[in-house]
Amino acid sequence: MSIVIYTYSDPYRLKEEPYWDEIKACPYFCAAQTLVNGLKYLYREDFVQGRVTTVRNFVEALFPYWQSTACRIKQHAAIDRWIAECALPAAGAEEQEQMRAALLANRDEVLESIRTMVELGIDAAELREEALTPAQKIVVELFRLSSAERGQSFAFSSDVDEAEMDEALLHTMQEAAHQTLDCSRIALDRIVIHGVHQFTPIMLRAIEAAAKHKKIILLFNYQQQYQNIYQTWIDIYTSFDCPMTNFGGEAFRSIGQDPISREGNLLADKIGRLVEGDASAPVQTAPFEILEFDNMTEFAGYVADVFESAARVNPANPMAMMREQIYAADSSANEILKIYFPEQFGERQFLHYPLGRFFVAIANMWDIASNKMVVRDARDVRECLDAGILKEEHAGQLSTIWGRMAALFEGCASIEEMLSRLRRLRKNKRYMTDAKKKEYVSHLAYYNVAPDEIDRLGKALAELTELAAYFYEDFERQPHNFSSFYKKLKAYLQQDVLDAHVLDEEFNGILRRVLVRLDEVEDIEESASFACLKATMSIYLVQEANPVQSAQWIVRNFEQIDGDILRSLNDKTNGEPTIYHFACLTDEDLAAAGRAKFPWPLTDSFFEAAQDPVDWKHQVYVKARSEYKNYKRYALLYGLAFNRAGFKLSYVRRTGEKEREPYYLLKILGAKKRTFEDSRRHAWVEDVSAIQTMGMPLKKYDKYDYFRYRICKYKFLLESIIEGTTVYKEPFLLLKYFEVILENQAMEKLAGLVRSETALVEYLHETFEELRPYFPFVSNMNRMDIMRKVKGRMSNGKEAKVFPQITAKMRQYMMIRELFIHKKLTDGKNSQNDILRGKFDEVSDDKIAESLNEAALQKKFWKSPHLWCRYCANQEICTAHAEGWRSEGIAYAAGKDVCEMPRRSGK
């Protein structure tokens, strides 16, 4: 094995190392693309595009099949069959089934654990059974099956001859160059692997294979004066059991003379010396600050402002114009930033498009046991209707119809049940003659849908059922079912989607690259369960990567620091020095591994006790995983020490209910906390909570319209002007409305009759059954709750001998409840405070005409959020009721009609 290890002290002076001539003209593979970019920035012509690229690219070129989609899918299918067939070490049948279910639920982890053992070359015969957990024993048994004759899908060999190795090297460099690369001057007798801390098993097999034919030079930065921090590198690289040369020379000192970076360089030196036990480090000229963000959302908002400012300067490449380059020990802020800037995080995957989600949704709804569709979550149906695949007259028609009718399908467990409710709805609408019932159902959203729209939705649901059956019917009873499914899917995407629909250029390209990926897998002669097919969907339903649209993470992780910091030399943004911002600096974030150490169910003890780690690959892999907890401390010191621009430190104080403090080394060194205050938040921000209309329709408004106007101008706009009345759409409000009209109708029937509890219960049951066909989603539990509440209210006043007659005042009260649910609404904290007091006071026709004339309604329609929002028929459109408004400090003051709504700048 020809492997040597070199170190260097100063990345800015790599050319001065004695081995420079040896490394400057050979294939050069880095830990990450950021390190590639940093070296190219510093050394220009010596690190041309292609010759220097990532280790990952080399691994994929050397072992193309093992890294391919087809291989992984075959392995998933094999594991699925083995779990179903192999004997499990469990006492009874029930326990065995539970264990099989656990293995299938963690199928991806099980696959990774077996691939890890294969890549490390572990000999199953040498594993100590007594040291294994029950779950590990099962996975080891599956690993043995992977080595047997029936396990050809796991066949793996790293034996390549020199010609194959040269071909893989040339292919890697040509692919990385994205153009023809002149390789005639590149020395292929040696390979450099630079800056890798987390070695994976497949990476180690690639190094082992290359070392049989080439000299492998492992290269990393080392600072003798900070040996405790750098010990993490030594511990990993000594496991290679090969010569390590520290070329020494003058020890690098991070104390630069540039005033811009000097304070950060001093801080790095103090951190390094403190870890070495030296408290006599030079005193900084001023205490350094650490910025405190209250939570991750606040931190993400800060980053978003930095990014937006850069985007205004250079929309094509905002990352290059960010005044701060941000590196976080916990980069989960990107999950928030993806919502605001999705285009920044690379090309959307096929499964993220409506068409992709369509296939996920129908797979979720297919029940293999009954061989038909079941509805476990109505959102799956919505996804299918949104996809644009089912027939509709114009884009979005089905989605719009569903939005108005969704409540009708509440509680449906199948498409057949949905279709049955649609048939009953059509029948009810066609034969309804009672004027009172017509008035009642006019407030139900699904009764306001036109007959042709109901028919359109019914046909779409029937089409959805047929399409699901085409793909999945009798799936598990078909031979070679994976191949059969892939062929059907490919044909459908080609003929029914690509050829039959007009697609935009971007999605057209994505779909064509999905078809290329499907070419790899359509000939796989495998059979497995439907659950396995669903689990592998995220593997085969992706497009080949488009290098032009690669992701550029706004918040980078600490593994990107070592390359990016090399670009800080003379780094300026709009003429000002760039700031390198190191974020999320808490003990929890810096000490946490940040990733699962080993795939389940493998653990430290499996590698340490179950097998003697005699192989160097085994030792390097295990040591690297155990040392990841020390990597972030090194990365922080490296970033501060080699930074040649400004720096900033910050941390996030709260995660959930837990409060955290800055990293302990920073606290020891006197970090001065400064709370972040967003200057955009103040009492009088720009108000964006109103809508103004043009060309108001002429109509006569009644007192109920005026009541809406009193309560909330925006509610009046939506209900009185746009919809013409109150239309309930959401299940909670529909149940409340059911309760109201049940009580109203019972009051009508019992008016003037002798008060009797028996008569009351009888009439309530009779009325309930009359109304129930119009509310098919009402469950028996709903029934009990509604009947209890109505009976309780109507039983009041037992001293009276008869049920009250319906007066004009009572009739108005009944109508108010139909349209507003409540006439009186109190704050739970103050039962005496009726927030609707005065809202339903009598008003003259003249006052209505004066307030709701054409001229008066040209004004803005303000939102007036309060407790009444909970019972507003348009709360989902308005969203002013959302709890998030309260958390932002929205005042629900009595009499305050205009809300001051915090907003993000530029949004």
Side-chain angles (χ1 to χ4, degrees):
M1 183 172 69
S2 178
I3 301 178
V4 297
I5 301 171
Y6 295 163
T7 68
Y8 61 92
S9 61
D10 186 348
Y12 295 108
R13 301 168 64 184
L14 197 56
K15 278 189 172 185
E16 298 177 20
E17 296 292 347
Y19 50 77
W20 171 253
D21 288 340
E22 190 177 4
I23 68 171
K24 73 175 184 179
C26 63
Y28 202 107
F29 303 130
C30 298
Q33 186 61 42
T34 48
L35 184 53
V36 173
N37 297 339
L39 292 170
K40 284 164 56 182
Y41 175 82
L42 275 182
Y43 299 105
R44 311 286 178 177
E45 69 280 356
D46 292 307
F47 283 90
V48 296
Q49 179 79 14
R51 186 182 77 81
V52 54
T53 185
T54 63
V55 180
R56 178 180 176 179
N57 289 340
F58 172 54
V59 169
E60 290 181 350
L62 189 60
F63 306 123
Y65 178 72
W66 182 256
Q67 299 291 93
S68 70
T69 301
C71 178
R72 282 188 172 272
I73 290 177
K74 289 184 69 173
Q75 291 170 350
H76 267 285
I79 288 173
D80 190 75
R81 294 196 308 274
W82 297 340
I83 291 174
E85 297 171 8
C86 72
L88 301 179
E94 183 177 352
E95 187 178 346
Q96 286 205 14
E97 287 308 308
Q98 291 175 348
M99 193 170 290
R100 288 188 207 280
L103 290 167
L104 290 171
N106 294 279
R107 187 188 286 103
D108 289 346
E109 289 284 307
V110 172
L111 172 60
E112 289 307 313
S113 67
I114 294 175
R115 282 175 65 95
T116 294
M117 289 189 278
V118 171
E119 290 166 3
L120 288 175
I122 289 176
D123 186 346
E126 295 180 359
L127 292 171
R128 297 170 50 217
E129 292 284 337
E130 68 277 8
L132 301 176
T133 66
Q136 287 171 357
K137 288 179 181 178
I138 297 170
V139 173
V140 167
E141 180 60 31
L142 297 178
F143 172 57
R144 290 192 176 103
L145 288 172
S146 75
S147 305
E149 182 179 350
R150 64 184 296 188
Q152 291 304 306
S153 53
F154 282 88
F156 175 74
S157 173
S158 60
D159 292 332
V160 294
D161 59 32
E162 189 167 5
E164 293 171 324
M165 181 61 63
D166 288 345
E167 182 181 352
L169 291 170
L170 293 172
H171 177 77
T172 304
M173 293 186 289
Q174 293 286 4
E175 286 290 308
H178 305 308
Q179 59 186 356
T180 302
L181 177 68
D182 181 8
C183 299
S184 60
R185 297 184 180 181
I186 297 177
L188 296 180
D189 61 332
R190 53 194 180 276
I191 300 170
V192 175
I193 308 290
H194 185 169
V196 178
H197 186 275
Q198 289 299 294
F199 289 94
T200 62
I202 192 65
M203 195 185 296
L204 294 167
R205 284 297 283 271
I207 291 172
E208 180 183 53
K212 294 177 181 177
H213 311 290
K214 315 291 181 184
K215 179 180 181 180
I216 306 299
I217 302 170
L218 303 177
L219 189 62
F220 66 91
N221 176 253
Y222 183 70
Q223 306 295 321
Q224 181 67 40
Q225 68 274 26
Y226 308 134
Q227 59 181 341
N228 283 332
I229 289 179
Y230 276 87
Q231 189 62 39
T232 180
W233 291 87
I234 300 299
D235 288 346
I236 292 171
Y237 277 75
T238 51
S239 299
F240 278 92
D241 194 23
C242 65
M244 181 183 299
T245 305
N246 179 11
F247 286 86
E250 182 180 351
F252 170 77
R253 289 296 177 186
S254 61
I255 306 173
Q257 299 304 312
D258 190 331
I260 296 173
S261 61
R262 179 175 172 77
E263 294 300 321
N265 301 156
L266 278 168
L267 178 57
D269 193 49
K270 292 187 75 171
I271 291 173
R273 292 190 184 205
L274 183 61
V275 176
E276 293 299 311
D278 180 3
S280 62
V283 178
Q284 290 177 267
T285 56
F288 66 95
E289 286 187 338
I290 184 166
L291 192 60
E292 178 190 278
F293 294 100
D294 183 68
N295 51 55
M296 189 61 75
T297 302
E298 186 174 73
F299 171 59
Y302 171 88
V303 177
D305 283 343
V306 175
F307 182 81
E308 285 178 334
S309 297
R312 285 192 288 271
V313 177
N314 184 356
N317 188 11
M319 289 293 291
M321 300 307 297
M322 285 178 67
R323 67 178 185 270
E324 294 179 23
Q325 297 295 321
I326 300 167
Y327 305 85
D330 173 8
S331 55
S332 61
N334 283 311
E335 297 305 312
I336 301 172
L337 295 169
K338 281 180 182 179
I339 299 171
Y340 291 104
F341 315 111
E343 70 286 346
Q344 191 62 30
F345 292 86
E347 184 179 46
R348 287 173 65 190
Q349 287 296 321
F350 175 75
L351 289 178
H352 295 163
Y353 281 86
L355 179 59
R357 294 197 299 269
F358 173 86
F359 287 103
V360 174
I362 60 171
N364 288 341
M365 288 189 287
W366 189 260
D367 180 59
I368 202 68
S370 61
N371 210 30
K372 65 180 183 180
M373 292 184 77
V374 299
V375 180
R376 301 178 182 90
D377 189 335
R379 286 175 294 188
D380 288 328
V381 181
R382 178 67 181 261
E383 293 281 16
C384 292
L385 299 176
D386 284 346
I389 294 301
L390 304 173
K391 292 178 183 176
E392 52 188 352
E393 293 175 347
H394 55 81
Q397 182 187 32
L398 291 174
S399 180
T400 301
I401 298 172
W402 173 267
R404 294 157 61 197
M405 301 192 68
L408 177 68
F409 307 116
E410 188 76 11
C412 285
S414 67
I415 299 294
E416 288 85 351
E417 192 174 351
M418 289 182 173
L419 291 170
S420 174
R421 289 190 184 181
L422 285 176
R423 288 192 291 270
R424 287 200 298 270
L425 175 63
R426 281 194 293 265
K427 184 177 179 181
N428 288 344
K429 284 172 66 71
R430 184 179 301 131
Y431 297 111
M432 186 181 299
T433 57
D434 185 273
K436 191 65 178 177
K437 288 181 179 176
K438 283 186 175 182
E439 197 278 325
Y440 283 153
V441 301
S442 70
H443 301 297
L444 304 178
Y446 44 86
Y447 271 89
N448 283 270
V449 179
D452 62 318
E453 292 180 308
I454 297 173
D455 292 340
R456 174 67 59 185
L457 180 61
K459 290 176 181 177
L461 292 176
E463 184 186 352
L464 177 61
T465 302
E466 293 175 6
L467 196 56
Y470 167 72
F471 284 118
Y472 301 127
E473 195 169 37
D474 296 322
F475 176 84
E476 291 193 352
R477 289 188 282 274
Q478 296 173 359
H480 310 305
N481 52 19
F482 269 42
S483 175
S484 173
F485 173 77
Y486 294 139
K487 288 176 180 176
K488 287 179 181 179
L489 178 60
K490 184 180 177 185
Y492 180 78
L493 290 176
Q494 180 70 59
Q495 299 166 15
D496 292 67
V497 179
L498 197 60
D499 296 342
H501 290 75
V502 178
L503 307 175
D504 64 70
E505 184 178 350
E506 178 185 9
F507 187 64
N508 188 293
I510 287 171
L511 190 53
R512 290 185 184 280
R513 281 181 278 131
V514 169
L515 292 170
V516 170
R517 176 64 68 94
L518 288 174
D519 283 338
E520 297 180 22
V521 298
E522 69 172 351
D523 293 327
I524 293 177
E525 297 300 322
E526 297 292 327
S527 292
S529 70
F530 179 69
C532 181
L533 182 77
K534 287 172 62 177
T536 58
M537 195 169 284
S538 61
I539 301 175
Y540 61 77
L541 277 184
V542 297
Q543 68 270 23
E544 295 297 319
N546 183 352
V548 178
Q549 292 182 266
S550 58
Q552 295 188 52
W553 299 86
I554 299 175
V555 176
R556 300 183 178 100
N557 60 35
F558 268 33
E559 292 177 27
Q560 313 303 310
I561 290 175
D562 58 352
D564 275 357
I565 210 68
L566 301 182
R567 306 176 73 174
S568 66
L569 194 65
N570 302 318
D571 193 6
K572 295 183 184 297
T573 305
N574 281 342
E576 296 294 326
T578 302
I579 296 172
Y580 284 75
H581 181 163
F582 305 106
C584 298
L585 302 179
T586 64
D587 292 331
E588 292 84 351
D589 290 327
L590 278 167
R595 62 176 70 176
K597 290 181 65 177
F598 301 103
W600 184 87
L602 307 185
T603 60
D604 299 73
S605 60
F606 174 85
F607 290 100
E608 293 169 2
Q611 183 188 35
D612 292 332
V614 293
D615 183 85
W616 65 271
K617 299 187 300 298
H618 185 119
Q619 295 184 58
V620 173
Y621 170 64
V622 175
K623 178 58 70 174
R625 291 287 167 143
S626 65
E627 281 296 315
Y628 187 73
K629 62 182 181 293
N630 295 318
Y631 177 82
K632 292 179 183 178
R633 181 179 66 173
Y634 146 80
L636 176 61
L637 178 135
Y638 182 96
L640 289 168
F642 292 109
N643 182 23
R644 294 296 175 262
F647 83 101
K648 183 178 288 186
L649 308 176
S650 71
Y651 79 105
V652 174
R653 183 174 67 90
R654 285 192 302 118
T655 173
E657 297 300 318
K658 186 178 180 181
E659 294 207 3
R660 306 186 297 183
E661 288 291 317
Y663 184 44
Y664 79 100
L665 289 177
L666 299 177
K667 288 180 66 177
I668 292 173
L669 293 172
K672 182 181 179 181
K673 290 193 287 187
R674 179 168 64 88
T675 303
F676 171 69
E677 294 180 357
D678 191 343
S679 59
R680 288 178 284 102
R681 293 183 182 174
H682 49 79
W684 302 106
V685 295
E686 179 185 348
D687 195 295
V688 293
S689 59
I691 289 180
Q692 188 169 12
T693 64
M694 297 178 65
M696 292 295 299
L698 294 175
K699 61 178 290 186
K700 184 177 180 180
Y701 297 105
D702 60 23
K703 59 186 174 184
Y704 300 107
D705 296 312
Y706 189 78
F707 294 159
R708 294 189 186 100
Y709 190 76
R710 272 180 178 165
I711 292 172
C712 176
K713 309 297 186 292
Y714 193 66
K715 178 181 179 73
F716 168 79
L717 170 67
L718 295 176
E719 296 183 17
S720 293
I721 296 178
I722 297 176
E723 293 182 319
T725 187
T726 299
V727 179
Y728 296 108
K729 310 165 186 68
E730 188 264 331
F732 168 75
L733 291 178
L734 286 165
L735 286 173
K736 298 298 292 183
Y737 178 64
F738 188 110
E739 183 183 322
V740 168
I741 61 174
L742 173 65
E743 184 174 352
N744 286 354
Q745 195 153 323
M747 288 172 65
E748 294 266 14
K749 287 186 177 182
L750 294 171
L753 298 181
V754 175
R755 184 178 290 276
S756 162
E757 185 169 341
T758 302
L760 173 61
V761 172
E762 182 180 338
Y763 272 113
L764 284 178
H765 281 290
E766 179 184 323
T767 306
F768 188 98
E769 292 305 321
E770 285 181 12
L771 295 174
R772 187 165 189 170
Y774 309 110
F775 298 83
F777 53 85
V778 175
S779 67
N780 289 331
M781 187 168 291
N782 296 147
R783 177 188 182 122
M784 293 170 59
D785 185 53
I786 291 171
M787 296 285 281
R788 177 181 56 80
K789 290 178 180 177
V790 174
K791 180 175 176 291
R793 285 193 295 269
M794 293 190 67
S795 296
N796 287 337
K798 288 184 178 180
E799 64 280 358
K801 294 183 178 181
V802 296
F803 287 104
Q805 292 286 354
I806 305 298
T807 65
K809 186 175 181 180
M810 285 182 64
R811 199 168 295 284
Q812 177 171 310
Y813 167 78
M814 293 160 67
M815 179 56 68
I816 286 173
R817 290 197 63 214
E818 281 189 31
L819 300 179
F820 301 92
I821 302 297
H822 293 285
K823 184 181 180 185
K824 179 181 180 181
L825 194 58
T826 58
D827 186 340
K829 297 179 181 178
N830 182 4
S831 60
Q832 303 303 313
N833 180 27
D834 177 10
I835 66 169
L836 290 173
R837 182 180 291 119
K839 301 296 184 184
F840 301 115
D841 288 352
E842 277 299 326
V843 57
S844 67
D845 290 342
D846 291 341
K847 179 64 176 176
I848 295 172
E850 177 188 345
S851 300
L852 303 182
N853 62 43
E854 184 177 2
L857 295 182
Q858 297 302 320
K859 298 178 181 179
K860 288 186 176 181
F861 292 86
W862 300 104
K863 294 179 181 179
S864 302
H866 213 311
L867 297 177
W868 52 61
C869 293
R870 177 171 169 78
Y871 303 98
C872 178
N874 286 294
Q875 59 176 254
E876 292 184 358
I877 297 174
C878 173
T879 72
H881 71 293
E883 189 65 30
W885 283 48
R886 294 188 180 90
S887 67
E888 295 285 355
I890 301 300
Y892 286 175
K896 182 177 175 64
D897 278 345
V898 180
C899 68
E900 302 299 339
M901 175 181 170
R903 68 187 187 93
R904 279 188 28 77
S905 62
K907 294 291 180 186

